[in-house]
Amino acid sequence: MTAKLITVESTDSTNTAVKQLFDTLEDGSCFCALEQRAGRGRLGRKWVTPPGTALCFSAAFKNVSEAYHAGAIVALAALDVLKNHLPDLPVFFKWPNDLYVRQNKLSGILSEGVISHGKLAGVISGIGINLNQSKEELAQLDNPATSLFAESGCRFEIPPLSRELFARIQELYAEYHHSPQTIISRWQQANALIGHTLEIIRPDGTRMTGIFSGIAQDGAMLLKINGFEERFDCGDVKIDPASLPDFHNSGRSE
Ligand code: BTN
């Protein structure tokens, strides 16, 4: 049995749909919805995307050694697909797995563990990519955001892009099983903000500023604060444009 891509017209949340189907899905199977009615974001937020404007896509992983590897595979696959279409787009990762263009969010990933009989049975990683929202529509959102249309003037169809993402996830997942470190190192390198001064806002609202010194073995963010390395498992990273002088021109590393 091989992994499948399931596409539906509409669902509440592709992550929830995969959670319901998880036991019946082959490892690596993916689920895409043309309309997502109740998308969920990180830290309990909503992810709102009107029909036809965004890629809403979730993948089921049953064989990763660390939970955060699932998000890393999806993020890298998305980066590769986007680069195929728009090679000059300066996309980079903002920890943990947001894709950014300059100061604007293009895409986010929500990874959720699946627990069965008290054990981690796998991880669902769902990605939302802004495709066709206009600049005016994006301006209504709470935080600075962009879309492929806003960046390139081209409209994107969901089904072909979702097939490309599915195919790239299969390739990277196979490569990951052969050599996990190759994939994780690539993901770390695409975290272009390593070395920059960043602020992290924890779920309880406390803010810390430090130098993003790297990513721990378990995916936690490492910030050097007053000479001491501190780890953060979750939170919102804020980009300080003043600390990134070349940001508008460079964008990402590979
Ligand atoms: C974030 O940046 O907060 C993560 C957003 C993740 C959104 C995607 S859309 C597909 C999948 N289904 C969901 O309900 N959420 C994720």
Side-chain angles (χ1 to χ4, degrees):
M1 291 274 279
T2 51
K4 276 203 206 87
L5 170 63
I6 301 167
T7 303
V8 298
E9 278 293 323
S10 178
T11 193
D12 285 344
S13 152
T14 56
N15 267 32
T16 308
V18 169
K19 202 174 285 177
Q20 283 157 358
L21 294 171
F22 194 79
D23 289 343
T24 66
L25 293 174
E26 283 300 313
D27 188 18
S29 289
C30 298
F31 192 102
C32 174
L34 305 184
E35 177 193 35
Q36 186 172 248
R37 299 183 302 267
R40 295 183 287 109
R42 285 177 62 237
L43 308 173
R45 288 187 284 242
K46 288 183 181 159
W47 180 266
V48 180
T49 48
T53 62
L55 183 69
C56 298
F57 182 105
S58 299
F61 296 98
K62 301 191 175 189
N63 191 8
V64 285
S65 55
E66 294 278 353
Y68 82 94
H69 291 176
I73 292 165
V74 172
L76 277 177
L79 185 65
D80 290 345
V81 168
L82 295 179
K83 283 282 166 190
N84 268 345
H85 286 270
L86 299 171
D88 297 329
L89 191 69
V91 196
F92 65 94
F93 294 163
K94 182 174 79 98
W95 183 90
N97 273 316
D98 289 346
L99 286 171
Y100 263 68
V101 177
R102 297 177 295 278
Q103 311 295 311
N104 304 317
K105 182 159 168 166
L106 175 65
S107 161
I109 290 182
L110 173 67
S111 292
E112 300 178 289
V114 179
I115 306 293
S116 176
H117 306 294
K119 280 198 346 211
L120 187 70
V123 180
I124 297 164
S125 255
I127 184 165
I129 305 178
N130 294 331
L131 301 180
N132 296 319
Q133 295 97 325
S134 65
K135 286 186 178 157
E136 293 71 29
E137 285 167 321
L138 294 162
Q140 322 268 317
L141 300 174
D142 292 341
N143 291 305
T146 192
S147 67
L148 294 186
F149 175 63
E151 293 297 329
S152 68
C154 300
R155 299 221 175 251
F156 286 79
E157 298 267 336
I158 295 172
L161 215 56
S162 132
R163 286 192 292 271
E164 283 174 47
L165 183 60
F166 172 69
R168 190 65 188 132
I169 287 173
Q170 302 312 305
E171 287 169 358
L172 290 177
Y173 195 30
E175 206 178 323
Y176 168 81
H177 288 137
H178 181 66
S179 169
Q181 203 44 50
T182 307
I183 298 296
I184 298 311
S185 300
R186 240 200 94 197
W187 175 75
Q188 295 205 340
Q189 280 160 29
N191 269 278
L193 300 179
I194 290 178
H196 290 279
T197 300
L198 298 177
E199 183 182 47
I200 185 158
I201 306 173
R202 289 168 161 160
D204 67 4
T206 52
R207 292 166 175 257
M208 313 284 281
T209 300
I211 297 170
F212 183 11
S213 54
I215 297 170
Q217 197 56 38
D218 62 356
M221 181 188 203
L222 300 173
L223 270 194
K224 202 161 235 181
I225 302 171
N226 299 327
F228 293 97
E229 200 157 70
E230 302 223 15
R231 35 168 300 133
F232 297 88
D233 296 309
C234 61
D236 260 337
V237 172
K238 293 285 164 209
I239 300 171
D240 174 8
S243 77
L244 303 169
D246 297 329
F247 204 55
H248 291 270
N249 301 320
S250 60
R252 86 178 263 255
S253 63
E254 203 165 1

